[in-house]
Amino acid sequence: QVQLVESGGGLVQPGGSLRLSCRAPRAIFSVFKDYTIKWYRQAPAKQREFVAEITDGGTSNFADSVKGRFTISRNNSRKTVYLQMNSLNPEDTAVYYCSTRQYGSDYWGPGTQVTVSS
């Protein structure tokens, strides 16, 4: 079973930045490096939506709504993927989740709350 844990959320003013982390504490390094990790978010009363992903080879993809503002990176030795979020606006307020599909199943972390407000 794959365990994922998000961290780094919080309250930030519009225009500010946050860096979220997605860690796989139980993963073996040699296995984690092959994970594709995706970030999703879910705002109140809205459906969960894709935000970004990074493949095992380091290729990244982003939702149109965050392109140019968010970046994604990984540190396999730390079994962690980072989501750097810049120029945040109130529409980015949501619970952010990381996910990976392994062994035919989708695994999710519990999420971390991001609130953008003045």
Side-chain angles (χ1 to χ4, degrees):
Q1 189 170 358
V2 178
Q3 180 188 22
L4 298 174
V5 181
E6 304 94 340
S7 62
L11 174 63
V12 63
Q13 291 187 343
S17 298
L18 281 175
R19 188 177 78 159
L20 305 184
S21 297
C22 172
R23 191 168 61 91
R26 296 179 183 171
I28 300 171
F29 158 75
S30 59
V31 175
F32 178 83
K33 67 180 180 62
D34 294 330
Y35 288 2
T36 288
I37 300 290
K38 299 185 179 187
W39 284 95
Y40 290 81
R41 66 186 181 186
Q42 188 165 18
K46 291 188 176 181
Q47 289 190 333
R48 192 170 297 189
E49 64 175 0
F50 170 79
V51 175
E53 69 174 356
I54 186 165
T55 69
D56 57 343
T59 299
S60 58
N61 294 292
F62 299 91
D64 289 342
S65 59
V66 306
K67 279 182 182 176
R69 300 189 297 123
F70 291 12
T71 60
I72 190 169
S73 60
R74 65 191 303 154
N75 184 327
N76 290 330
S77 64
R78 295 188 176 184
K79 300 178 289 185
T80 302
V81 166
Y82 303 99
L83 184 68
Q84 177 68 43
M85 307 187 297
N86 300 324
S87 301
L88 286 163
N89 58 62
E91 289 69 40
D92 296 315
T93 295
V95 178
Y96 284 70
Y97 301 90
C98 63
S99 175
T100 188
R101 184 169 182 85
Q102 302 297 327
Y103 320 116
S105 298
D106 291 320
Y107 295 90
W108 297 84
T112 186
Q113 175 71 47
V114 172
T115 302
V116 185
S117 175
S118 56

